[in-house]
Amino acid sequence: MHPYVAVPATLALGWRAYSRDSLTPAGLVVALLTAVVHAVHPWSVFFALLVVFFLTGTAVTKVKHDVKARLTLSSSGSSGGEGRRTHIQVLANSLVASIFILLHYRQLCAREKSGDANRGCWSYGSDLLVIGIVGNYAAVAADTFSSELGILSKSRPRLLTSWNFRQVPPGTNGGITFWGTMAGFLGASTIALTSVVLLPFCPVGPTSWSGKLLGENQPGLAGGNGWGLQEKAAWVLAVTICGGLGSLLDSALGGWFQASVVDSRTGKVIEGNGGTKVLLSGSHMKKDGNGSRRVESGAGFLDNNAVNILMAATMSVGGMATPQMLKQAAGNVPMQLPVRLSRGLQSWKTSFAMAPTLKTSASSEIRKAIDDVTVDTNKIPGCVLVVVNKDGKTLFEHASGRKGADTQAPMTLDSIFWIASCTKMIAGIAVMQLIEQGKLSLDDADKIEDLCPELKTIRILKNVNERGEPEFVEKKNRITMRMLLTHTAGFGYAFFNENIRQWGQPFGCDEFSGHENDILGQPLLFEPGTRWEYGVGIDWAGTVVERISGMSLNDYFQKNIFQPLGIENISFFPSAEMKTNLAHMHQRDANGKLRERDHLLRRPLIVDGEDRAKTYNSAGAGCFSRPAEYCGQ
């Protein structure tokens, strides 16, 4: 937060707590330190959550305070009700969130240092610490609302942890009422609504067809990283439910582990000062011959503060873990297949993701959907579909049609395809191997510039003027391996970017020529680390692998990835047998008729000997493969 806002806001909160005597001196000091931790974070949302929790919590505590005071007793012998909160009580509500905020701040600083473009917004499905922080405040707000307003319910509370859900006195740990539970969800919703207004969500926006394929600026529920109205509505609902469940968890933990002590003469629950334990033979209470206190429920292992912090930690960590567990349970295999099939296949996504095998009826329908398309060579001459699950088991495989529109040679499961950008995943594996070996780091710009000094002096192409002259500016940020792998280093593709096309004129710029300079000779399009554009960054990552290993990328792939896995039919340079099985390449003419054409990546198919050694091994789009072997079969 900006200090002009954070400092007066923190002082105002401190003055309010001091003037209303709502905190002990130690509690006030800890509360101010907590506010400072929240204010240090560059996002204002976390400080706002603290403020909303403090103000709404104080407000509900004061609701019919005199009535609540008569429903319970204090361990000091006076009437019950909430007194001044201690430093322990402050920490019980905010310690977990404060730790996560500091961790997230450190995470953001590391991203800023590496030039990560996403520091300023929260992508859908990322930064689980944010979920933990908001989940903490939703849970403690729900617990505060539930306990402070639930005790006023006209119906007698029932013990959540008892086998028969028996009635207990108001204020009993683990005692819940319907309206108290609803109040808990109301408290959680105040946090949910505050967060949805102030969190810096990455927006949903228009994008190119290639960006849509890769999830760029698309809604999170559609597989992208943006937050639209549906994603935000789901967020509010999820946070509200999380908080409400936190209140119920607090009741359960209190019912099991916190002793509820009742005054035998009045039947009222005795509350410990500052959330501490209540002794059965309290020094401030007189005992009659039969004992003036009895335990209504609970084992007495924990006091109220320990229960609160255990609940807050459980809901924060649980909230962070839930999205990952749901993602694993649902499965992502079909959404990540490199080939998007026709709408007739969409109904079988669940079968792909959830079932260890496909039903016979599902296999038949998928096979028919493919065959119906390939029967007309002007639609798709041929197709090979291989589906595997997350354990590597083949769920389905089928070859249909012909290898080309002008040939009668059938498409088979052994057909070879140019897998183009699917090569990028293999290059990513190679990079990660070197990182595991300590030879590379994702964020070490010094190492990248040492291996590729060209990246130290590369300039940014601003535009090409009317005379066809390119205009450049110097870059400010340094390029890291993380940027190269995530398409944030500043590179593009000539077939997507008009500036690159104009820069290449009059000779042209062809990333599929097999010549190194067509890729490594391109300028940057924007400041590294400031935005995303699909481009040749991963080709540069492959060049890094070559320069570290002293091997061509093809040789590195064969030795370190394919041979250990027993893969024989993936290569930058197809063998003679692979070439005989190569699927033909097509494009539509001006009338929409599908015609065969020369292969786009022709050079690797025709070179040999010294010419092969001079051919660039493109980590971004250079491999040919049999589909089943790319799937690990």
Side-chain angles (χ1 to χ4, degrees):
M1 283 182 65
H2 198 289
Y4 290 152
V5 177
V7 172
T10 301
L11 294 177
L13 285 176
W15 173 254
R16 188 180 190 280
Y18 173 77
S19 62
R20 302 196 178 193
D21 200 26
S22 57
L23 296 172
T24 64
L28 181 59
V29 171
V30 171
L32 289 173
L33 291 175
T34 300
V36 170
V37 169
H38 286 58
V40 164
H41 197 285
W43 296 0
S44 62
V45 59
F46 302 134
F47 188 87
L49 294 180
L50 176 67
V51 172
V52 169
F53 169 66
F54 174 71
L55 295 179
T56 58
T58 302
V60 297
T61 299
K62 299 300 182 182
V63 173
K64 295 188 177 181
H65 184 268
D66 55 335
V67 175
K68 289 185 283 189
R70 295 195 296 268
L71 295 175
T72 60
L73 298 174
S74 170
S75 59
S76 62
S78 60
S79 60
E82 185 70 51
R84 294 193 302 172
R85 289 183 176 268
T86 67
H87 62 290
I88 301 297
Q89 288 175 296
V90 173
L91 290 174
N93 288 322
S94 60
L95 178 61
V96 174
S98 297
I99 293 173
F100 285 174
I101 286 170
L102 291 175
L103 291 174
H104 189 248
Y105 177 52
R106 181 174 179 272
Q107 192 178 76
L108 292 185
C109 289
R111 289 182 192 169
E112 184 178 40
K113 185 177 180 181
S114 66
D116 191 335
N118 286 329
R119 179 179 183 266
C121 72
W122 183 32
S123 299
Y124 187 90
S126 68
D127 284 358
L128 296 180
L129 287 171
V130 176
I131 299 176
I133 297 164
V134 178
N136 175 94
Y137 278 113
V140 296
D143 179 51
T144 301
F145 272 63
S146 179
S147 60
E148 293 297 336
L149 298 180
I151 197 172
L152 297 173
S153 176
K154 294 181 180 179
S155 60
R156 196 172 179 83
R158 292 183 176 274
L159 187 61
L160 181 63
T161 54
S162 66
W163 67 272
N164 60 353
F165 212 45
R166 63 183 174 87
Q167 292 186 340
V168 289
T172 300
N173 300 309
I176 62 172
T177 64
F178 172 78
W179 291 113
T181 302
M182 292 299 100
F185 283 99
L186 175 63
S189 70
T190 63
I191 299 298
L193 293 172
T194 302
S195 68
V196 81
V197 171
L198 295 177
L199 273 170
F201 296 108
C202 290
V204 171
T207 186
S208 62
W209 68 267
S210 61
K212 291 177 181 177
L213 183 63
L214 296 166
E216 176 191 358
N217 294 333
Q218 294 300 295
L221 295 177
N225 63 1
W227 290 80
L229 289 178
Q230 287 185 334
E231 287 75 20
K232 291 179 181 179
W235 167 257
V236 170
L237 180 62
V239 171
T240 301
I241 292 174
C242 174
L245 293 178
S247 173
L248 292 175
L249 176 62
D250 187 87
S251 297
L253 293 174
W256 283 322
F257 303 124
Q258 181 183 354
S260 292
V261 179
V262 173
D263 179 66
S264 301
R265 293 165 297 185
T266 63
K268 295 181 179 180
V269 170
I270 303 172
E271 296 181 317
N273 290 333
T276 57
K277 292 182 179 179
V278 177
L279 302 177
L280 279 178
S281 54
S283 59
H284 298 288
M285 297 287 292
K286 294 182 179 179
K287 290 182 59 180
D288 57 26
N290 297 320
S292 62
R293 299 180 178 182
R294 60 179 174 82
V295 175
E296 178 68 29
S297 65
F301 297 139
L302 304 175
D303 64 13
N304 188 63
N305 298 319
V307 167
N308 284 347
I309 198 167
L310 178 59
M311 179 275 292
T314 301
M315 295 310 299
S316 294
V317 175
M320 293 160 60
T322 299
Q324 296 302 308
M325 292 189 293
L326 290 176
K327 183 177 180 180
Q328 290 180 7
N332 269 337
V333 172
M335 294 303 294
Q336 294 172 351
L337 290 174
V339 178
R340 300 296 179 94
L341 298 176
S342 63
R343 292 181 180 178
L345 301 181
Q346 297 304 309
S347 61
W348 301 108
K349 285 183 178 179
T350 303
S351 298
F352 290 164
M354 303 298 291
T357 58
L358 289 183
K359 295 180 180 179
T360 302
S361 59
S363 296
S364 298
E365 294 239 6
I366 297 171
R367 189 175 290 106
K368 182 179 183 302
I370 296 172
D371 291 343
D372 286 347
V373 174
T374 59
V375 71
D376 182 353
T377 57
N378 199 48
K379 291 183 178 178
I380 298 177
C383 173
V384 175
L385 173 64
V386 179
V387 181
V388 299
N389 66 8
K390 64 180 180 180
D391 300 316
K393 182 176 180 179
T394 300
L395 301 182
F396 178 87
E397 56 182 2
H398 179 57
S400 178
R402 296 178 286 176
K403 288 197 292 185
D406 299 332
T407 179
Q408 295 300 314
M411 190 73 80
T412 71
L413 293 175
D414 290 325
S415 293
I416 301 297
F417 292 81
W418 173 43
I419 60 173
S421 284
C422 291
T423 309
K424 290 178 171 67
M425 183 196 74
I426 307 171
I429 293 172
V431 170
M432 291 305 167
Q433 287 180 336
L434 296 176
I435 289 174
E436 284 183 338
Q437 297 165 18
K439 297 178 180 179
L440 265 181
S441 170
L442 285 175
D443 302 310
D444 187 351
D446 289 332
K447 185 69 173 180
I448 297 300
E449 290 180 354
D450 180 54
L451 292 165
C452 301
E454 307 99 311
L455 294 179
K456 187 174 184 179
T457 57
I458 193 170
R459 296 183 298 170
I460 301 171
L461 174 67
K462 295 304 292 182
N463 57 57
V464 177
N465 63 31
E466 295 178 352
R467 296 186 299 276
E469 299 169 340
E471 298 177 352
F472 297 96
V473 296
E474 300 296 327
K475 68 178 178 67
K476 299 177 182 177
N477 298 338
R478 304 171 73 193
I479 294 173
T480 66
M481 178 56 73
R482 187 187 299 273
M483 295 178 193
L484 295 175
L485 292 177
T486 58
H487 298 291
T488 58
F491 294 105
Y493 272 125
F495 50 86
F496 284 146
N497 191 283
E498 183 64 26
N499 271 358
I500 290 289
R501 281 197 294 273
Q502 291 180 355
W503 166 82
Q505 295 302 320
F507 309 112
C509 181
D510 179 9
E511 287 95 349
F512 308 121
S513 68
H515 295 291
E516 178 181 88
N517 194 58
D518 272 325
I519 292 179
L520 303 190
Q522 291 188 21
L524 298 176
L525 296 173
F526 55 89
E527 189 68 44
T530 60
R531 63 183 179 90
W532 185 96
E533 180 162 344
Y534 199 50
V536 300
I538 293 180
D539 287 292
W540 274 102
T543 297
V544 170
V545 173
E546 288 186 327
R547 294 180 183 181
I548 284 183
S549 65
M551 306 167 66
S552 72
L553 199 60
N554 186 56
D555 290 344
Y556 183 94
F557 281 6
Q558 299 297 333
K559 180 180 179 179
N560 296 283
I561 300 175
F562 301 149
Q563 290 177 9
L565 294 174
I567 293 174
E568 299 177 352
N569 292 292
I570 304 181
S571 178
F572 284 94
F573 302 97
S575 64
E577 182 180 359
M578 290 174 69
K579 291 178 187 178
T580 62
N581 290 321
L582 184 66
H584 298 196
M585 181 159 281
H586 303 76
Q587 73 179 51
R588 297 192 183 277
D589 62 20
N591 297 318
K593 182 174 176 57
L594 197 67
R595 298 185 182 277
E596 292 192 11
R597 57 153 291 164
D598 292 345
H599 205 287
L600 194 62
L601 193 65
R602 184 171 179 269
R603 183 177 174 84
L605 297 169
I606 60 174
V607 296
D608 206 351
E610 292 184 3
D611 287 336
R612 175 180 290 192
K614 296 176 181 178
T615 300
Y616 184 65
N617 294 188
S618 170
C623 277
F624 295 79
S625 175
R626 188 171 72 91
E629 290 190 71
Y630 185 79
C631 295
Q633 302 305 300

